[in-house]
Amino acid sequence: MKNINLHNVAERFLFTQPDPVEISGIYCTYCVDSPVPAVKSCLMCEASLCEKHLRVHSKSSEHVLSDPSTSLKKRKCSVHKKILEYYCTEDSACICVSCSLVGEHQGHRVEILDEASEKKKGKLKNIFQKLSTKREETKKRVQNLEERWRKAQEKASGEAERVTALFTDIRRRLDNLEKRVLSEISRQEKEESLLRSTLIQKLEIKKDELSGRMRHIEEICNMTDPLTVLQEPDTGDLCDPEEGEGDKDINRCLHDVGDLDVSVISDKLHTLCDIITDIRRGIYVEGPGDILLDVNTAANNIFISGKKKLFLYSGYSKKKKKKNFFGLLCANLMKSVCSQDYHP
């Protein structure tokens, strides 16, 4: 048979046993000798209780126990000094029973604090879920931007390397071309110098020969005895100078001596054209540019598609009023294309 008295004592004992809590830094109000951590706070007494004082505390329903708190006055009505037990939905305020019966909230729709708290928690959970979704979307956007930024950095780095390699190759080819042209100029200069030196040497010999013949003739002309003049041998040295083999060789050398052969240098410099062509090939724009055609500035015989990215010449001009079968066919075809949402 159930012992009712023992059951009530046990139930009362279990009710008064506090749950194990962590030390909150709030101490018992009645332990004045030494601070003892509080385990509960009484809203009615506005006091915090340790385990010892909780056992002897009033168990009346008016004495509502809560977790240890330092803001006990905020849990009481400032007008009626009673515990806040209800929530006025019209004024969005926590009220006591007197406020709902005779106070300024009389006749208002009220809810128990636990119910109102759960409803508010439900709304906050919905808001939290929406905020969480938005945060995930924002996080994905940040990741997307970071990925695009990383790709842009990689692309910029690749372009920088490509441009560096391009200019390195240009400088190398220009240096090689400069060396070849300077080498050609030096070669021609050496050949011209050698040919000029040889020619000068031959001309000096020729000049000495002519000077000797002139001196001999001058001596004969200075003679006063006619017999002696006439008895001088009539050799080739005293004849009129004619162009011999030596003179022809000298003339050929004179003909060959001249300025630098700029045509050969120009041919080598034409390599610059190839270098410039390669440079133009190396400098490119990836993908077609996104352009839109202007209908207002287009000619009368130009038809533009609906997306303004394609045009067609019709062969028909309104101003000149010239028509042909092919132009009209193109015009009708283009009109049908332009009337559609066409993607070129």
Side-chain angles (χ1 to χ4, degrees):
M1 186 173 178
K2 184 177 181 181
N3 191 333
I4 298 176
N5 293 330
L6 182 60
H7 175 73
N8 291 336
V9 171
E11 194 173 44
R12 181 177 179 183
F13 177 78
L14 292 174
F15 175 77
T16 57
Q17 292 299 315
D19 296 332
V21 294
E22 297 180 358
I23 298 177
S24 59
I26 300 175
Y27 300 97
C28 179
T29 306
Y30 302 106
C31 293
V32 295
D33 294 334
S34 61
V36 179
V39 293
K40 290 291 181 181
S41 293
C42 178
L43 304 181
M44 185 69 181
C45 301
E46 296 184 3
S48 297
L49 309 170
C50 64
E51 293 183 2
K52 177 182 178 181
H53 289 96
L54 182 62
R55 294 192 189 100
V56 297
H57 188 265
S58 175
K59 303 302 184 290
S60 173
S61 60
E62 295 180 355
H63 293 264
V64 180
L65 298 176
S66 67
D67 293 333
S69 174
T70 56
S71 58
L72 299 177
K73 291 184 178 181
K74 295 181 180 179
R75 302 183 69 90
K76 281 188 175 182
C77 177
S78 59
V79 179
H80 303 100
K81 306 301 178 182
K82 293 184 178 181
I83 299 174
L84 300 175
E85 300 179 88
Y86 301 98
Y87 180 75
C88 178
T89 58
E90 295 184 16
D91 296 331
S92 300
C94 297
I95 61 175
C96 67
V97 63
S98 298
C99 291
S100 63
L101 295 177
V102 295
E104 58 181 0
H105 300 280
Q106 182 180 2
H108 292 184
R109 185 174 178 275
V110 296
E111 296 177 349
I112 299 175
L113 288 182
D114 291 341
E115 295 178 355
S117 175
E118 291 301 322
K119 288 183 179 180
K120 184 173 182 179
K121 287 181 180 180
K123 293 180 180 179
L124 291 176
K125 287 180 180 179
N126 292 333
I127 296 174
F128 178 84
Q129 187 63 34
K130 292 180 180 179
L131 292 176
S132 178
T133 303
K134 289 185 177 180
R135 186 186 66 177
E136 289 299 322
E137 293 176 354
T138 304
K139 182 179 178 181
K140 289 181 180 179
R141 289 182 178 179
V142 171
Q143 292 175 349
N144 185 27
L145 287 174
E146 288 178 347
E147 180 65 18
R148 290 172 60 185
W149 180 55
R150 183 185 63 79
K151 290 182 178 180
Q153 282 186 319
E154 291 178 354
K155 185 177 181 180
S157 178
E159 285 297 309
E161 292 178 359
R162 185 181 68 87
V163 171
T164 301
L166 177 63
F167 277 91
T168 301
D169 182 64
I170 292 172
R171 283 190 288 267
R172 179 184 60 80
R173 298 175 66 177
L174 288 176
D175 289 340
N176 292 337
L177 178 59
E178 180 184 11
K179 291 178 182 178
R180 291 198 303 271
V181 173
L182 293 178
S183 177
E184 176 63 23
I185 294 174
S186 178
R187 186 190 65 81
Q188 291 191 29
E189 185 180 9
K190 288 180 180 179
E191 290 182 356
E192 292 294 331
S193 177
L194 180 60
L195 182 61
R196 189 178 297 106
S197 177
T198 303
L199 181 59
I200 290 174
Q201 186 178 3
K202 290 181 179 182
L203 288 176
E204 288 292 339
I205 295 173
K206 181 67 175 177
K207 184 184 70 171
D208 292 340
E209 291 178 356
L210 294 175
S211 297
R213 292 171 60 186
M214 291 175 62
R215 283 195 299 273
H216 185 61
I217 294 173
E218 188 177 12
E219 290 176 356
I220 295 175
C221 292
N222 290 330
M223 291 181 182
T224 57
D225 184 10
L227 182 60
T228 304
V229 172
L230 294 176
Q231 288 178 348
E232 284 293 326
D234 190 9
T235 60
D237 293 339
L238 300 179
C239 297
D240 293 335
E242 294 181 359
E243 186 175 355
E245 290 298 328
D247 294 332
K248 292 180 180 180
D249 186 40
I250 292 175
N251 290 334
R252 282 195 301 267
C253 292
L254 287 172
H255 182 269
D256 293 336
V257 173
D259 295 332
L260 293 175
D261 190 355
V262 293
S263 61
V264 177
I265 299 174
S266 298
D267 291 338
K268 292 186 178 297
L269 289 176
H270 276 305
T271 311
L272 283 172
C273 298
D274 298 333
I275 296 176
I276 293 173
T277 302
D278 293 340
I279 293 173
R280 290 176 178 175
R281 291 174 182 172
I283 302 174
Y284 64 92
V285 178
E286 183 177 356
D290 189 10
I291 61 172
L292 294 178
L293 301 175
D294 190 357
V295 180
N296 298 324
T297 59
N300 295 325
N301 53 356
I302 299 295
F303 290 93
I304 300 177
S305 64
K307 287 293 183 179
K308 300 181 181 179
K309 294 185 178 181
L310 181 67
F311 74 92
L312 182 65
Y313 174 69
S314 67
Y316 168 72
S317 177
K318 293 181 180 179
K319 293 182 178 180
K320 295 183 179 180
K321 297 182 179 181
K322 293 182 179 181
K323 301 179 180 179
N324 57 68
F325 176 75
F326 178 74
L328 292 176
L329 178 62
C330 292
N332 293 330
L333 176 62
M334 194 59 195
K335 285 181 180 178
S336 63
V337 171
C338 292
S339 62
Q340 301 174 357
D341 191 14
Y342 178 72
H343 295 274

